């Protein structure tokens, strides 16, 4: 036993060593670059704190002192120990990823070209700008630049052109956002040189992929749009904070930092020579400064970061918070300009360009961000339920009242510690001001304030306590589930397990409402679009109560003033609608594999059997799993595949009866992945369960994605493997789901052709170039399925236009005007 226990740590260590060896073998250039940077730092002494200016690049070094070698040496020698560590980390991560994309030889060439060109171009721009007096706040021409990260950042931007759509967008958006943040706010010379190298790297990348058919613009999924928006909001907060940590910042936008500090040093200097009413407030802030007021000054930054966390989750409350904070910052900047409190020289002064840049930073950026969030509001629909809102409101209100009362009472007791005699009105006004960041109070006068003792302590910290509670309450509200929806969903699922057909599980998806019969034995899942209630799939009811369930739901819609329509129902419900005098039309075809008839023998199955055999021979496996059981690496791969699929579409991701990655996360949903021998996921499919009498009887294909550069035939491999396992498990059917807006030849009688049918055909034609419903339908025919027509039933032909528009809006999920135009253009192109 002791020998076994001793062998286990040795085996783990051996595996770790094997991972390291494989990493080094795959990233030789990146690892070598990290070692070279460390060696250069040690050789030049910058690793120990010595001055390495001799190796740095800059206008003086190149043009005045003739150190022509510095554009090259500056990309190998870091300027400090911290810079060495950060550069090594960048080399082993981002630069290593660039090596995977470009290859070793091409990476070396691109890195040298981008680094040398970047340093030379940046040096020339630096020299030119230094000759313009209006830009002299930018660091001096004598300041040398020692930054190996310049070369690596440029190479990574060049390599991004070869990345997938998901990572190409992320590298560029995140990279340029961070680089611009440090350049424009902190303003150190290294940041500007890195930004220039990144821009040149982007151009080199475009040159590398010249001639390759690629769209210049790629659509983002809802999830990615949320992530990017959250990132930009976070950067607008972290930019000023980075400048604060850098000692106030030297960049052209660093004037905006004054909104996030306790007091304005420039104004304090001016007050020493010239008095204005603003000096009273600045003096009060200086006298009462401390950790508490410092944290209060950073409240806008903290709120923007909290908002960014919520935006990433699609929270509407986070959207409101971000819009309010960004708008207030912009309005404050406008008021500062009007009141003349901006601490720069007047127009015509040599600092006039700084004045304009300050206006862009403090006014333009904030207001533009607020407007952008309003435009993108449809991507953040997740609202907290009523209970969560009441809890948040109660908590914040109670905290505000308690803090205000504490401050008012304490300051009344310790009036003698105030700088001058204080009245009740002064105490009330100052109590309200304690919850406002100091920069927002510049132009509002200054009541008396305490100078020492308990009064000063409460004065400094009461606002911090309130905002701390506010932030914690906001973060907790993000986690509140929508209890009413969850309870309703569980009730629907219980009925679904009794029997809901192959498509009934779609009723559990987010965005659907549920209606129940009076006795609770029947239910209808529906999506309300305007005044149209689109019932989804077959109603849940026992066979003998179909008529009563349908009629009761129709009566419910009449009471609510809605126009009911039943979407994606099967043949067995059509007699009910005929008896009611309703009309119906085909809206798609469901393809169902009857497992008892599945043999995979004969010529008819050859197109399926060959891909499966080839995939098994090449070492592919079909991994059966659930979302909660996936590893972090597997989730990242699935998201990359999904984002690539969305980015390659000219139209937005559809919903309604077409599931996405979010629906694949349901615990009842199975995932079947095609994984290659290198454990790289090539195909992702999700399967919805169908039950009868509490027993699972089948699976229904929903979400299906594949890598654009993956081998052909893997989708057939996954579907057949799923069907064979389902057959072994004793299930009855595997549905390949419905093909929306598609029909088999002769599938609809002429008597059923209506205005709505024509409209749906036009919608299908518009969406076909982007989504290929017809080609998908033909693909599914390989599996020799049984065809089951799906219908839309409706009561009043007068309401057909509204129903058709409701169907389109349900699929596009609150389409924007641009998306509707895209549909029209796609339809026009498809018609040709």
């Amino acid at each position: 036993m002791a020998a076994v226990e001793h062998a286990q740590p040795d085996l783990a260590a051996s595996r770790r060593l094997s991972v390291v060896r494989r990493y080094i073998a795959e990233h030789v250039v990146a690892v070598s670059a990290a070692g070279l940077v460390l060696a250069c730092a040690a050789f030049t002494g910058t690793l120990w704190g010595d001055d390495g200016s001799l190796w740095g690049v800059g206008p003086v070094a190149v043009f005045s002192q003739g150190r022509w070698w510095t554009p090259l040496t500056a990309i190998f020698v870091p300027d400090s120990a911290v810079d060495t560590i950060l550069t090594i980390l960048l080399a082993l991560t981002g630069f290593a990823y660039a090596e995977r994309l470009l290859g070793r030889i091409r990476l070396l060439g691109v890195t040298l070209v981008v680094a040398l060109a970047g340093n030379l171009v940046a040096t020339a721009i630096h020299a030119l700008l230094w000759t313009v007096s209006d830009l002299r706040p930018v660091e001096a021409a004598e300041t040398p630049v020692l930054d190996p990260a310049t070369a690596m950042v440029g190479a990574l931007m060049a390599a991004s052109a070869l990345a997938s759509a998901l990572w190409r967008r992320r590298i560029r958006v995140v990279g340029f956002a961070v680089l611009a943040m440090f350049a424009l706010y902190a303003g150190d010379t290294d940041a500007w040189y890195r930004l220039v190298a990144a821009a040149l790297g982007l151009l080199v990348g475009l040159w590398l992929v010249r001639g390759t058919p690629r769209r210049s613009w790629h659509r983002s999924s809802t999830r990615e749009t949320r992530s990017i928006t959250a990132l930009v909001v976070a950067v607008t907060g972290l930019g000023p904070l980075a400048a604060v940590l850098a000692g106030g910042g030297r960049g052209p936008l660093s004037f905006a930092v004054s909104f996030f500090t306790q007091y304005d040093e420039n104004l304090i200097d001016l007050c020493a020579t010239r008095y204005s009413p603003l000096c009273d407030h600045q003096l009060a802030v200086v006298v009462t400064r401390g950790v508490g007021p410092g944290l209060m000054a950073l409240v806008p930054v903290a709120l923007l970061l909290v908002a960014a966390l919520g935006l990433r989750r699609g929270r509407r409350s986070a959207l409101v918070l971000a819009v309010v904070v960004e708008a207030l910052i912009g309005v404050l900047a406008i008021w500062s300009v009007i009141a003349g409190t901006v601490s720069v020289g007047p127009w015509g002064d040599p600092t006039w360009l700084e004045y304009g840049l300050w206006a862009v930073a403090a006014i333009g950026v904030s207001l533009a961000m607020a407007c952008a969030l309003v435009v993108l509001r449809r991507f953040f629909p997740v609202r907290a339920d009523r209970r969560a809102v009441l809890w948040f409101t109660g908590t914040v209100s109670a905290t505000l009242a308690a803090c205000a009362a504490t401050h008012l009472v304490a300051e009344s007791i310790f009036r003698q510690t105030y700088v001058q005699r204080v009245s009740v009105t002064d105490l009330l006004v100052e109590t309200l001001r304690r919850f406002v960041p100091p920069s927002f109070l510049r132009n509002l006068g200054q009541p008396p304030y305490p100078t020492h003792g308990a009064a000063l302590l409460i004065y400094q910290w009461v606002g911090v306590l309130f905002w701390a509670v506010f932030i914690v309450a906001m973060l907790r509200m993000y986690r509140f589930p929508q209890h009413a929806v969850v309870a309703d969903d569980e009730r629907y699922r219980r009925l679904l397990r009794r029997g809901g057909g192959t498509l009934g599980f779609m009723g559990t998806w987010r965005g659907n409402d549920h209606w129940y019969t009076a006795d609770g034995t029947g239910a209808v899942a529906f999506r309300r679009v305007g005044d149209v209630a689109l019932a989804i799939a077959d109603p849940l009811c026992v066979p003998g109560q179909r008529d009563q369930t349908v009629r009761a739901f129709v009566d419910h819609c009449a009471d609510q003033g809605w126009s009911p329509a039943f979407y994606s129902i099967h043949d067995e419900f059509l007699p009910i609608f005929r008896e009611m005098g309703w009309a119906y039309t085909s809206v798609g075809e469901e393809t169902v594999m009857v497992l008892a008839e599945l043999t995979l023998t004969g010529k008819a199955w050859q197109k399926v059997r060959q891909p499966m055999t080839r995939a098994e021979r090449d070492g592919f496996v079909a991994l059966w799993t659930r979302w909660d059981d996936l590893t972090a690496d597997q989730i990242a791969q699935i998201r990359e595949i999904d984002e690539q699929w969305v980015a390659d579409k000219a139209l937005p991701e559809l919903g309604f009866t077409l599931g996405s990655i979010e629906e694949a996360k349901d615990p009842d949903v199975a995932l079947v992945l095609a994984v290659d021998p290198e454990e790289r996921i090539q195909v992702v499919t999700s399967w919805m369960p169908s039950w009868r009498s509490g027993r699972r009887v089948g699976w229904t294909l929903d979400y299906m994605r594949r890598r654009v550069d993956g081998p052909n035939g893997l989708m057939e491999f996954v579907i057949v493997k799923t069907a064979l396992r389902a057959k072994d498990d004793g299930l009855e059917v595997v549905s390949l789901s419905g093909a929306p807006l598609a029909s088999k030849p002769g599938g609809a009688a002429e008597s059923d052709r209506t205005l709505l049918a024509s409209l749906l055909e036009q919608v299908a034609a518009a969406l076909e170039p982007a989504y290929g419903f017809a080609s998908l339908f033909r693909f599914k025919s390989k599996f020799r399925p049984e065809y089951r027509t799906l219908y839309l039933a409706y009561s009043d032909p007068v309401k057909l236009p509204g129903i058709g528009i409701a169907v389109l809006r349900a699929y596009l999920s609150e389409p924007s005007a641009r998306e509707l135009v895209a549909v029209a253009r796609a339809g026009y192109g498809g018609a040709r």
Side-chain angles (χ1 to χ4, degrees):
M1 180 64 71
V4 173
E5 292 178 351
H6 178 70
Q8 289 179 346
D10 291 343
L11 180 60
S14 176
R15 288 177 177 175
R16 288 194 293 269
L17 183 60
S18 176
V19 170
V20 172
R21 287 175 176 172
R22 187 171 65 179
Y23 177 88
I24 294 175
E26 294 176 352
H27 306 96
V28 173
V29 176
V31 174
S32 300
L36 181 60
V37 168
L38 181 62
C40 290
F43 174 76
T44 59
T46 58
L47 185 62
W48 330 114
D50 294 345
D51 184 10
S53 300
L54 176 66
W55 312 100
V57 67
V60 172
V62 175
F63 300 120
S64 298
Q65 300 176 353
R67 297 203 299 268
W68 53 267
W69 62 85
T70 55
L72 180 63
T73 56
I75 65 177
F76 296 106
V77 181
D79 64 359
S80 65
V82 173
D83 189 30
T84 302
I85 295 173
L86 294 178
T87 302
I88 290 175
L89 291 176
L90 178 61
L92 298 178
T93 53
F95 197 57
Y97 182 65
E99 182 174 357
R100 286 178 52 190
L101 295 173
L102 291 171
R104 298 174 186 175
I105 303 301
R106 191 158 54 170
L107 176 66
L108 288 172
V110 167
T111 302
L112 288 175
V113 169
V114 172
L116 289 174
N119 279 338
L120 290 173
V121 172
T123 300
I125 295 175
H126 191 179
L128 178 63
L129 294 181
W130 186 249
T131 63
V132 182
S133 61
D134 301 316
L135 291 178
R136 289 219 166 177
V138 178
E139 281 195 61
E142 295 84 359
T143 304
V145 173
L146 290 166
D147 189 19
T150 300
M152 296 179 186
V153 167
L156 180 58
M157 285 299 169
S160 68
L162 301 175
S164 64
L166 172 65
W167 286 103
R168 181 162 62 250
R169 182 188 300 113
R170 286 181 175 178
I171 290 171
R172 292 174 179 177
V173 173
V174 175
F176 277 106
V178 173
L179 292 173
M181 176 186 73
F182 280 101
L184 298 176
Y185 285 99
D188 59 294
T189 312
D190 295 28
W192 285 102
Y193 279 56
R194 284 193 294 267
L195 191 58
V196 171
L200 291 177
L202 187 64
L203 295 177
V204 171
L206 296 177
W207 180 79
L208 289 175
V209 296
R210 68 192 185 284
T212 304
R214 301 159 69 92
R215 291 206 313 273
S216 59
W217 177 82
H218 294 274
R219 181 177 300 279
S220 297
S221 65
T222 297
R223 181 187 64 257
E224 189 68 8
T225 299
R226 291 173 179 174
S227 298
I228 292 175
T229 304
L231 170 68
V232 175
V233 169
V235 167
T236 61
L238 290 175
L241 181 60
V244 171
L245 297 178
R250 297 175 296 275
L253 305 188
S254 60
F255 283 112
V257 175
S258 62
F259 289 156
F260 303 91
T261 55
Q262 296 185 55
Y263 54 89
D264 190 330
E265 294 184 0
N266 292 327
L267 279 177
I268 293 293
D269 294 338
L270 289 176
C271 288
T273 58
R274 184 178 61 189
Y275 172 80
S276 72
L278 288 173
C279 296
D280 294 335
H281 174 66
Q282 292 297 312
L283 179 61
V285 174
V286 170
V287 172
T288 60
R289 69 185 184 277
V291 177
L295 294 175
M296 274 296 294
L298 295 176
V299 163
V301 173
L303 293 180
L304 288 177
L305 295 179
V306 170
L309 292 175
L311 290 172
R312 190 172 180 273
R313 302 179 182 180
R315 288 282 178 170
R316 179 56 61 91
S317 56
L319 176 76
V320 174
L321 177 62
V323 169
V324 170
V325 174
E326 295 282 11
L328 285 176
I329 293 174
V331 170
L332 173 62
I334 293 174
W335 175 246
S336 298
V337 172
I338 295 174
T341 59
V342 178
S343 56
V344 296
W347 296 104
D349 188 88
T351 60
W352 68 270
L353 190 53
E354 295 178 59
Y355 190 99
L357 292 173
W358 177 90
V360 171
I363 301 175
V365 172
S366 297
L367 294 184
M369 194 66 231
C371 292
L373 288 170
V374 172
V375 171
L376 296 173
R377 63 187 181 279
R378 67 191 180 92
F379 291 100
F380 308 95
V382 183
R383 302 173 185 268
D385 63 13
R386 186 170 181 271
R387 190 171 74 93
V389 173
L390 291 176
W391 175 86
F392 174 80
T393 304
T395 300
V396 172
S397 300
T399 303
L400 178 62
C403 290
T406 300
H407 179 271
L408 188 61
V409 171
E411 304 304 276
S412 298
I413 296 175
F414 300 106
R415 291 191 185 189
Q416 68 277 7
T417 63
Y418 274 69
V419 69
Q420 63 188 67
R421 186 173 181 180
V422 58
S423 65
V424 174
T425 301
D426 291 333
L427 289 179
L428 290 173
V429 171
E430 194 56 69
T431 297
L432 296 176
R433 291 166 60 100
R434 288 306 84 218
F435 305 102
V436 182
S439 60
F440 287 77
L441 301 172
R442 286 183 179 179
N443 303 294
L444 300 179
Q446 178 59 53
Y449 51 89
T451 58
H452 62 279
L456 179 61
L457 182 65
I458 294 174
Y459 181 94
Q460 291 176 327
W461 286 96
V462 67
V464 177
L465 176 61
F466 165 74
W467 285 111
V469 173
F470 179 94
I471 290 172
V472 172
M474 195 76 181
L475 292 174
R476 189 178 177 207
M477 190 169 67
Y478 291 163
R479 303 180 62 182
F480 260 93
Q482 299 182 2
H483 292 285
V485 175
V486 173
D488 194 56
D489 178 68
E490 287 302 322
R491 184 181 178 187
Y492 184 84
R493 286 176 189 257
R494 287 196 298 270
L495 294 178
L496 191 61
R497 284 179 171 84
R498 186 188 60 190
T502 53
L503 302 180
F505 197 84
M506 292 189 301
T508 65
W509 292 354
R510 183 187 292 263
N512 295 334
D513 294 317
H514 301 121
W515 169 88
Y516 299 92
T517 57
D519 59 4
T521 60
V524 174
F526 66 98
R527 180 79 56 94
R528 190 164 69 87
V529 183
D531 62 349
V532 176
L534 291 172
I536 302 171
D538 298 333
L540 302 185
C541 55
V542 296
Q545 295 181 346
R546 288 173 179 169
D547 185 80
Q548 298 94 313
T549 301
V550 169
R551 292 179 183 272
F553 177 72
V554 171
D555 292 340
H556 171 73
C557 291
D559 293 339
Q560 300 296 324
W562 303 335
S563 299
F566 288 77
Y567 192 86
S568 292
I569 58 173
H570 289 92
D571 293 275
E572 51 264 34
F573 281 86
L574 294 185
I576 299 173
F577 295 107
R578 291 195 194 101
E579 185 178 342
M580 294 169 56
W582 283 35
Y584 55 86
T585 188
S586 169
V587 293
E589 293 290 337
E590 183 184 10
T591 50
V592 178
M593 299 174 65
V594 180
L595 298 180
E597 303 172 359
L598 179 63
T599 62
L600 296 183
T601 59
K603 187 175 181 180
W605 286 98
Q606 186 174 358
K607 291 183 179 180
V608 173
R609 196 169 53 247
Q610 286 181 345
M612 185 182 69
T613 303
R614 183 170 59 251
E616 290 177 336
R617 184 184 65 241
D618 293 340
F620 286 88
V621 295
L623 177 62
W624 190 284
T625 184
R626 310 274 175 162
W627 183 271
D628 292 339
D629 298 329
L630 294 172
T631 65
D633 178 64
Q634 289 173 329
I635 291 175
Q637 290 188 58
I638 292 174
R639 292 193 185 282
E640 181 180 356
I641 294 171
D642 180 73
E643 195 63 32
Q644 179 70 58
W645 186 90
V646 174
D648 286 339
K649 300 300 177 187
L651 297 178
E653 190 173 14
L654 301 184
F656 193 34
T657 63
L658 300 173
S660 67
I661 197 172
E662 296 303 319
E663 284 71 36
K665 297 177 181 179
D666 193 295
D668 286 325
V669 172
L671 296 179
V672 183
L673 316 175
V675 184
D676 64 21
E678 286 74 35
E679 299 185 356
R680 192 165 185 250
I681 298 173
Q682 296 290 342
V683 168
V684 185
T685 60
S686 73
W687 299 82
M688 303 180 294
S690 56
W691 293 277
R692 187 190 312 118
S693 302
R695 184 179 70 88
R696 185 183 293 112
V697 295
W699 293 105
T700 300
L701 177 62
D702 175 32
Y703 177 83
M704 49 192 302
R705 300 283 190 270
R706 62 183 295 270
R707 287 191 186 274
V708 294
D709 57 348
N712 294 324
L714 290 181
M715 193 63 71
E716 292 92 332
F717 167 72
V718 168
I719 291 175
V720 171
K721 284 292 188 179
T722 302
L724 292 176
R725 170 161 175 166
K727 184 177 181 179
D728 292 342
D729 291 342
L731 305 188
E732 300 175 7
V733 296
V734 163
S735 171
L736 302 183
S737 196
L741 310 176
S743 60
K744 64 179 181 290
E750 286 298 322
S751 59
D752 292 335
R753 295 193 59 77
T754 62
L755 174 62
L756 180 59
S758 300
L759 176 61
L760 292 177
E761 285 183 357
Q762 294 178 16
V763 172
L767 298 179
E768 179 61 27
Y771 292 98
F773 291 144
S775 58
L776 179 61
F777 182 61
R778 291 192 296 271
F779 166 78
K780 294 177 180 179
S781 66
K782 293 182 180 181
F783 302 92
R784 302 184 60 78
E786 176 183 298
Y787 295 101
R788 299 180 182 178
T789 304
L790 302 175
Y791 296 92
L792 169 65
Y794 55 95
S795 62
D796 190 352
V798 175
K799 298 178 180 179
L800 285 180
I803 294 174
I805 292 173
V807 171
L808 179 59
R809 290 181 59 192
Y811 273 112
L812 288 175
S813 183
E814 299 185 28
S816 65
R818 183 176 65 182
E819 290 169 347
L820 292 175
V821 170
V823 171
R825 287 178 175 174
Y828 175 71
R832 291 184 295 175

